Amino acid sequence: MARRRIKRLEKLKLSALLTFFRCHRGPSDDHSRIGTVGFSRVVYVNEPERLKEEGFSYPLNEVSTTKYNLGTFLPKSLFEQFRRVANFYFLVSGILALTPLAPYTAVSALAPLCVVIVATMAKEGVEDWRRKQQDHELNNRIVKVHRGNGNFEETKWKNIKVGDVIKVEKDNFFPADMILLSSNYPDGICYVETMNLDGETNLKIKQALEVTLDLKEDIKFREVRQTIKCEDPNANLYSFVGSMEWKGQQYPLSPHQLLLRDSKLRNTDYIYGAVIFTGHDTKVMQNATDPPSKRSTIEKKMDKIIYILMSSLLMIALLGSVFFGIWTKEDIRDGKLKRWYLRPDASTIFYDPKRAALASFFHLLTALMLYSYFIPISLYISIEMVKLLQALFINQDIEMYHEESDKPTHARTSNLNEELGMVDTILSDETGTLTCNMMEFIKCSIAGTAYGQGVTEVERAMAVRKGFRLDDDIENGGHKDNKIDDSPHVNGFNFKDPRIMDGNWIHEPNRDMIRDFFRLLAICHTCIAEKDENGKISYEAESPDEAAFVIAARELGFEFYKRSLTTIIIREWDPSQNVVEKRKYELLNILEFSSSRKRMSVIVKEPEGRILLLSKGADSVMFKRLARNGRKFEEDTRRHINEYSDSGLRTLVLAYRVLDDKEYKEFNEKLNAAKTSVSADRDEKIEQAADSIETDLILLGATAVEDKLQKGVPECIDKLAQAGIKIWVLTGDKMETAINIGFACSLLRQGMTQIIITLEQPDIIALEKNGDKLTIAKASKQRVMDQIEVGIKQIPPSTHVSTESFALIIDGKSLTYALEDDVKLKFLDLAIKCASVICCRSSPKQKALVTRLVKQVTHKVTLAIGDGANDVGMLQEADIGVGISGAEGMQAVMASDVAVAQFRFLERLLLVHGHWCYRRISVMICYFFYKNVTFGVTIFLYEAFASFSGKPAYNDWFLSLYNVFFTSLPVIALGVFDQDVSARLCIQVI
């Protein structure tokens, strides 16, 4: 029976089902370029040795992220050391010490330099060795590779070649870029997690070509021979052009068949794939760029001081040489020996009165070596050692350890420790940084009635601002739940309302709409259900919002139980008969969510035979698509949505329509034609087909989910503001939600004047509907400039004493024009005069541009903090990048200078460790320069007393040990352990 079912499923055509296929495949379908320049890679599947025979040379799969190797370590490391001006100076001085000009022995001059260089190179070598160990672990992972006759042998990653057929099993990473041939699923799909590539935790769906679906067993690869021609290695993660030749036929390949290295196989038992890119040719390695080199402000100032000291040294040496030349010329006058103890009558060239100018020049070289102790040779290495130890203490701070996630704070670079104490502006993401990025279903509006009695953190903050206390149990529609809820908390579900919980919805007047509302939540999504050993269902979702919706439906009796390529099964509880019924819906189409569509829809066939379009999306697009007879509850729903937004909740509108067979057939043909089109406007045709069916909808209601603030965020922001640090929030949320979350986290305070810059105004909206792009852009830019001018006039000049504080709030459209070259300085002038700044609907590029603007114009230290791949640009642009090791993958952490588990740890990181490190490094540098200048002056005074003869005042080994050891070890201890005040006082007294 099972075998018959599998055979039946194997006959299904994915193209006919139109299930998980993405609507937008982009321009990567241009297969006419195969074989041209840039599209010339040839892969012989299952014949890797044939590539070498035919002259193709592709790299092995071994990767290296190290800076050095055995051959390059010495030359490259020495080059790095002598790029530092002080080290180069001491190298020249050491070479001169080998000549008779040297006032010291060559060994005593070169030994300190060698100690410093060797110690620094050893540090570089240890750090690179750790990277080598990580590469070794990665390259020696095991995967199954076909080695002939249907046998798959365990092979190390580094030995994989282009053309190998690989079997990857569940929860393992892909070792190279591969073309998916088949999977354990009948239609050749697999689920892939790309968190290591783009920071997204949602699962992507990949689909094998129909012609390779039957390759489901090891033995079937015994005679497989294919030729793949595709594009050359490149860094684009989201495009791929190729073709597969098999059994004399050509089949086009797209990104849907491409499995990228470092992606993980999820929810799929196994897959077979053919390797096309290995090692540094893989897309993830093509994207691996060295992070921008960041140097601290103090280090830059230190270089300037060293240049000043070198100039001073040169001036002193020159002055001494001039005097020496004058006195040497006068050594023999009228036959008398003036400096008889130098024996000028029998002197060498260095003291020859007859050639005083030349002797003066040679004395200049001697003096440059003699006064070299003005330059602290051990300063660089001492600072590096101190910073390394400071970073170790930061990493070991138990106060910045997050027990729930078992993640400590990690200083990924020690170069910027003191910068933490100099931060002027913090630029922060919101979702996942200030908030938890763990959505909870808390309220909903169904058929014009508001349900849900939970209290949000924003509502509590609003109540505090208005001067009254808000209890957790609030009245809602005349109902009040005073029962003690002993049920365990369910992640993603914080809904309380006895009117519809426990099956009581069946007694509501609009019970059919309530049932349809939760059925829609259980069906309209791309989640995947997983059953554990105890039979409990959990969900893998593309976003926390979707997971919250599916969990809410389950908790209220509409459990999403299982999905296949063609069906969705719901276990529905009927309260009237107290039975659970399985309802099987035939899945016809998924019209996926995109940022331009702002909605997603599914088309399903009910068990009763009706074809339904179920849709959910943003209110800005959904209300426009309602039918005339589907707007019955529109006014009440709009009012509830506004209330939810004021409470800091994220809302979606739910609607549906019934399709007749003829209408659906016409749409399906239209969508099929659009998807198979090879014209340039293919994407537009697909979107038009989707738009044509998503009309005349009947409104069901709206959902409201809460993204809770992280623990301690309001207190942390309040402390940072007291310390004089400006905080900017760059978020993708809409303005109302961002403002209310701003109040909840103390970014905005009662009595603060809000300066709002927005293009959501009637005249601009009307122009957008009727005007051309040039006119719209011109009018929008002028409106933004006018609003900025008005905002600047609102703020009193700095000469006036004012207790009033201001907050700037700007939306994404306005920010586009505010960042243009002729506007950005005015925008920044307004922003830096405000205590808080919120940029709403910001794109990743805008986040990076704002950060660059603040850093480059203000010339003050900026810190960016974020948790997702969309924050990487911002983190790299800022002087200090702080990554939140949260739920959005490791992309932000990998691009950061410091990784923390929670935003609240920023308080201790900046106010305690930042203060300590800044003061320690400052005192340490001042001490180094002080002791070297003081020591150098004593040598100069002795030289003046000794008529600038170039003789040292001290023993040369004493000088070397003084500079490297005697005066370095105490100051290193000072730089690591010194505390002017305790950590408690650092936070209490700002």
Side-chain angles (χ1 to χ4, degrees):
M1 184 71 182
R3 186 176 297 176
R4 191 184 309 157
R5 179 175 174 270
I6 291 174
K7 286 183 178 180
R8 186 174 69 251
L9 285 171
E10 287 179 340
K11 293 179 182 178
L12 295 174
K13 308 294 185 184
L14 185 68
S15 57
L17 297 174
L18 295 173
T19 53
F20 285 92
F21 242 42
R22 302 283 180 183
C23 288
H24 300 277
R25 292 166 67 180
S28 61
D29 293 330
D30 185 5
H31 296 279
S32 62
R33 294 180 287 176
I34 297 295
T36 63
V37 176
F39 297 85
S40 58
R41 172 155 292 216
V42 177
V43 178
Y44 298 115
V45 178
N46 234 359
E47 299 177 283
E49 300 303 327
R50 182 179 168 188
L51 290 168
K52 188 181 292 185
E53 294 171 5
E54 298 197 8
F56 293 102
S57 178
Y58 300 139
L60 291 175
N61 201 41
E62 186 171 10
V63 297
S64 173
T65 60
T66 58
K67 191 176 181 180
Y68 311 104
N69 58 40
L70 288 176
T72 63
F73 175 72
L74 194 61
K76 287 181 72 173
S77 183
L78 286 173
F79 175 75
E80 289 293 328
Q81 299 310 313
F82 290 113
R83 287 175 64 184
R84 291 173 169 173
V85 62
N87 288 347
F88 183 74
Y89 169 78
F90 281 106
L91 175 65
V92 175
S93 180
I95 292 171
L96 289 174
L98 299 171
T99 69
L101 293 169
Y104 313 120
T105 61
V107 176
S108 65
L110 288 171
L113 178 64
C114 291
V115 170
V116 170
I117 295 299
V118 168
T120 310
M121 288 175 64
K123 172 181 171 288
E124 290 271 335
V126 168
E127 290 180 351
D128 212 49
W129 176 254
R130 289 174 181 167
R131 287 191 285 267
K132 177 74 174 176
Q133 293 294 97
Q134 291 175 352
D135 291 342
H136 179 78
E137 186 275 330
L138 190 68
N139 290 324
N140 286 278
R141 288 181 179 176
I142 300 298
V143 71
K144 292 182 179 179
V145 180
H146 183 241
R147 293 306 184 200
N149 296 321
N151 296 320
F152 280 77
E153 299 177 3
E154 290 188 345
T155 306
K156 294 178 179 179
W157 279 23
K158 65 182 180 181
N159 297 326
I160 292 172
K161 300 176 183 177
V162 171
D164 279 336
V165 174
I166 291 179
K167 183 178 183 179
V168 180
E169 296 175 337
K170 185 178 180 180
D171 292 330
N172 287 331
F173 291 97
F174 301 125
D177 289 355
M178 306 187 298
I179 293 299
L180 176 62
L181 299 177
S182 62
S183 75
N184 66 294
Y185 288 107
D187 284 295
I189 66 165
C190 70
Y191 302 100
V192 176
E193 182 185 86
T194 59
M195 188 172 69
N196 288 343
L197 301 181
D198 53 20
E200 297 181 9
T201 54
N202 58 298
L203 300 184
K204 310 291 194 303
I205 296 149
K206 301 293 183 177
Q207 168 69 46
L209 292 179
E210 185 179 336
V211 292
T212 61
L213 295 183
D214 63 333
L215 301 174
K216 294 185 177 300
E217 299 174 5
D218 294 359
I219 196 66
K220 290 189 176 182
F221 285 91
R222 184 170 48 189
E223 303 297 333
V224 169
R225 298 291 183 271
Q226 301 168 339
T227 301
I228 294 176
K229 297 180 180 180
C230 63
E231 64 186 17
D232 294 340
N234 60 74
N236 197 325
L237 295 172
Y238 307 106
S239 70
F240 178 74
V241 179
S243 65
M244 177 190 291
E245 181 184 331
W246 196 27
K247 297 180 180 178
Q249 296 291 323
Q250 292 284 344
Y251 303 94
L253 299 171
S254 74
H256 293 288
Q257 287 82 49
L258 184 63
L259 304 174
L260 298 179
R261 179 189 174 112
D262 282 350
S263 301
K264 180 186 277 189
L265 184 66
R266 298 288 301 275
N267 301 98
T268 310
D269 292 339
Y270 61 85
I271 63 99
Y272 294 99
V275 175
I276 56 170
F277 298 130
T278 51
H280 290 274
D281 283 351
T282 58
K283 288 183 180 286
V284 66
M285 295 305 295
Q286 293 278 314
N287 276 276
T289 56
D290 293 330
S293 178
K294 296 182 180 181
R295 297 184 68 207
S296 69
T297 307
I298 281 186
E299 192 174 338
K300 294 174 186 175
K301 288 183 178 179
M302 190 173 69
D303 284 350
K304 293 178 182 177
I305 295 172
I306 285 180
Y307 280 116
I308 293 172
L309 285 178
M310 291 184 70
S311 303
S312 303
L313 184 154
L314 182 61
M315 292 298 295
I316 291 172
L318 193 60
L319 180 66
S321 298
V322 170
F323 279 107
F324 174 79
I326 294 171
W327 291 344
T328 299
K329 190 173 184 180
E330 296 177 351
D331 267 347
I332 300 177
R333 179 169 291 186
D334 300 328
K336 294 181 180 180
L337 303 179
K338 192 172 184 180
R339 293 189 296 177
W340 55 267
Y341 50 86
L342 294 178
R343 293 300 306 272
D345 57 331
S347 64
T348 63
I349 188 174
F350 305 119
Y351 294 95
D352 191 350
K354 297 176 183 178
R355 290 184 286 181
L358 189 58
S360 177
F361 172 74
F362 285 132
H363 181 273
L364 175 63
L365 298 179
T366 301
L368 288 175
M369 289 184 276
L370 186 68
Y371 301 137
S372 64
Y373 294 98
F374 270 91
I375 311 298
I377 187 173
S378 58
L379 175 60
Y380 284 115
I381 184 62
S382 299
I383 286 179
E384 285 191 3
M385 290 173 63
V386 164
K387 287 186 174 183
L388 204 62
L389 292 169
Q390 286 176 349
L392 185 64
F393 279 107
I394 290 173
N395 296 346
Q396 297 295 326
D397 190 345
I398 195 68
E399 298 293 329
M400 295 194 295
Y401 168 70
H402 192 236
E403 190 174 358
E404 288 82 357
S405 61
D406 190 27
K407 290 178 181 175
T409 295
H410 178 48
R412 290 171 46 80
T413 175
S414 59
N415 293 340
L416 305 171
N417 294 349
E418 68 276 13
E419 293 281 277
L420 295 170
M422 304 167 64
V423 172
D424 177 77
T425 306
I426 294 174
L427 301 105
S428 173
D429 178 39
E430 183 186 87
T431 304
T433 303
L434 299 178
T435 62
C436 297
N437 199 26
M438 295 174 63
M439 309 298 179
E440 290 194 332
F441 188 92
I442 189 169
K443 294 183 181 183
C444 62
S445 171
I446 309 174
T449 303
Y451 295 99
Q453 299 174 2
V455 180
T456 68
E457 292 177 344
V458 172
E459 286 175 325
R460 291 191 181 94
M462 291 168 66
V464 170
R465 293 203 313 272
K466 294 175 182 176
F468 62 88
R469 189 173 179 178
L470 190 64
D471 294 330
D472 283 351
D473 296 324
I474 64 169
E475 293 188 17
N476 188 344
H479 296 268
K480 189 172 181 177
D481 184 16
N482 293 318
K483 295 179 182 178
I484 299 174
D485 187 7
D486 294 327
S487 59
H489 177 71
V490 178
N491 289 334
F493 185 73
N494 192 24
F495 183 84
K496 297 175 184 177
D497 198 316
R499 291 174 292 173
I500 58 176
M501 294 186 72
D502 301 321
N504 292 333
W505 60 267
I506 201 168
H507 305 300
E508 288 292 292
N510 293 298
R511 62 182 185 182
D512 289 342
M513 294 196 73
I514 294 173
R515 180 197 62 205
D516 293 341
F517 182 93
F518 289 109
R519 277 182 179 173
L520 191 152
L521 289 182
I523 297 170
C524 185
H525 56 78
T526 56
C527 298
I528 299 159
E530 282 190 317
K531 188 188 294 185
D532 61 17
E533 298 174 354
N534 301 320
K536 188 177 179 181
I537 301 291
S538 60
Y539 301 114
E540 293 281 355
E542 287 199 5
S543 67
D545 308 63
E546 280 214 329
F549 295 146
V550 179
I551 290 169
R554 180 189 68 192
E555 295 300 312
L556 293 168
F558 299 82
E559 182 184 43
F560 164 53
Y561 178 66
K562 189 178 181 181
R563 85 179 315 141
S564 69
L565 287 170
T566 58
T567 59
I568 288 181
I569 299 175
I570 307 297
R571 292 201 299 195
E572 193 173 301
W573 177 43
D574 184 355
S576 60
Q577 301 179 19
N578 196 24
V579 295
V580 176
E581 173 192 2
K582 278 189 181 180
R583 289 180 60 84
K584 188 174 182 180
Y585 293 84
E586 185 180 346
L587 182 59
L588 303 177
N589 301 88
I590 292 182
L591 308 177
E592 292 198 8
F593 176 88
S594 72
S595 56
S596 59
R597 283 166 42 78
K598 295 183 180 179
R599 64 189 181 278
M600 80 159 289
S601 303
V602 298
I603 300 177
V604 296
K605 180 179 281 190
E606 286 186 312
E608 294 81 8
R610 286 195 310 172
I611 298 176
L612 297 178
L613 169 73
L614 308 177
S615 187
K616 64 182 181 186
D619 56 294
S620 57
V621 296
M622 292 297 290
F623 282 126
K624 298 175 184 176
R625 298 182 171 276
L626 298 180
R628 184 171 297 178
N629 62 345
R631 299 176 177 269
K632 182 177 178 183
F633 307 106
E634 181 182 1
E635 186 177 339
D636 291 332
T637 305
R638 282 184 183 273
R639 187 179 73 255
H640 294 151
I641 287 174
N642 292 333
E643 291 173 0
Y644 296 154
S645 295
D646 289 342
S647 299
L649 301 177
R650 302 168 190 271
T651 59
L652 281 181
V653 173
L654 274 58
Y656 78 102
R657 67 174 293 199
V658 180
L659 305 176
D660 58 49
D661 292 339
K662 181 181 178 182
E663 186 178 17
Y664 172 71
K665 187 176 180 181
E666 290 175 355
F667 158 75
N668 203 23
E669 290 174 354
K670 187 177 180 181
L671 184 62
N672 270 331
K675 285 190 173 184
T676 56
S677 170
V678 293
S679 60
D681 59 347
R682 174 180 175 276
D683 290 345
E684 293 179 14
K685 289 180 179 179
I686 291 174
E687 192 154 322
Q688 287 172 6
D691 286 348
S692 67
I693 200 71
E694 293 171 322
T695 57
D696 297 329
L697 302 175
I698 298 172
L699 178 65
L700 286 173
T703 60
V705 295
E706 180 185 20
D707 189 3
K708 288 184 175 294
L709 290 176
Q710 288 185 12
K711 179 183 176 183
V713 165
E715 295 81 5
C716 176
I717 288 179
D718 195 46
K719 275 290 181 185
L720 294 173
Q722 289 178 38
I725 298 175
K726 302 182 185 69
I727 300 175
W728 294 30
V729 170
L730 313 177
T731 177
D733 279 340
K734 58 185 179 182
M735 186 173 289
E736 296 81 5
T737 305
I739 289 174
N740 285 293
I741 290 179
F743 275 113
C745 67
S746 296
L747 186 67
L748 303 178
R749 294 177 291 278
Q750 190 68 24
M752 184 179 278
T753 303
Q754 296 180 16
I755 300 173
I756 298 178
I757 299 176
T758 179
L759 291 176
E760 296 296 326
Q761 298 178 13
D763 55 338
I764 299 295
I765 293 172
L767 199 61
E768 287 176 346
K769 289 180 179 178
N770 305 315
D772 62 277
K773 290 184 178 180
L774 190 61
T775 307
I776 295 168
K778 188 176 179 180
S780 299
K781 184 176 179 179
Q782 187 59 48
R783 176 55 62 89
V784 170
M785 292 178 68
D786 292 343
Q787 292 180 82
I788 291 174
E789 292 285 354
V790 171
I792 292 174
K793 290 176 182 177
Q794 280 185 255
I795 302 176
S798 56
T799 54
H800 289 63
V801 179
S802 175
T803 57
E804 188 177 8
S805 59
F806 294 83
L808 174 63
I809 300 153
I810 182 170
D811 63 17
K813 283 184 183 177
S814 305
L815 193 59
T816 303
Y817 300 103
L819 291 174
E820 291 187 2
D821 290 341
D822 54 340
V823 186
K824 63 183 181 183
L825 293 180
K826 284 187 177 180
F827 164 66
L828 185 64
D829 182 43
L830 171 62
I832 60 179
K833 291 178 180 178
C834 297
S836 301
V837 179
I838 298 177
C839 300
C840 313
R841 296 293 191 194
S842 304
S843 67
K845 185 178 180 180
Q846 285 178 329
K847 291 182 179 184
L849 290 175
V850 170
T851 306
R852 183 187 301 172
L853 177 65
V854 176
K855 181 178 74 171
Q856 291 181 347
V857 178
T858 63
H859 300 293
K860 294 181 178 178
V861 178
T862 57
L863 181 148
I865 180 168
D867 73 314
N870 60 331
D871 302 316
V872 167
M874 178 174 71
L875 299 183
Q876 292 184 336
E877 281 289 347
D879 293 299
I880 307 169
V882 178
I884 301 283
S885 48
E888 284 293 325
M890 295 298 289
Q891 201 81 348
V893 169
M894 295 302 290
S896 68
D897 303 302
V898 184
V900 297
Q902 296 262 288
F903 182 89
R904 60 190 167 95
F905 296 142
L906 215 55
E907 177 184 339
R908 185 173 177 86
L909 183 67
L910 301 187
L911 302 185
V912 177
H913 290 284
H915 170 78
W916 284 345
C917 292
Y918 180 33
R919 185 180 180 279
R920 288 166 178 170
I921 294 290
S922 301
V923 171
M924 179 181 171
I925 292 173
C926 289
Y927 170 81
F928 260 98
F929 287 127
Y930 164 76
K931 60 101 175 173
N932 277 71
V933 169
T934 304
F935 190 59
V937 167
T938 65
I939 298 174
F940 176 76
L941 292 176
Y942 175 79
E943 286 301 299
F945 178 76
S947 72
F948 297 101
S949 59
K951 295 301 178 183
Y954 307 101
N955 176 271
D956 52 358
W957 281 107
F958 171 78
L959 288 171
S960 298
L961 293 173
Y962 172 86
N963 212 9
V964 177
F965 292 109
F966 294 163
T967 57
S968 293
L969 297 179
V971 80
I972 288 173
L974 171 78
V976 176
F977 300 110
D978 181 49
Q979 292 183 13
D980 56 334
V981 291
S982 66
R984 180 177 57 83
L985 288 175
C986 278
I987 294 175
Q988 281 186 355
V989 184
I990 299 172

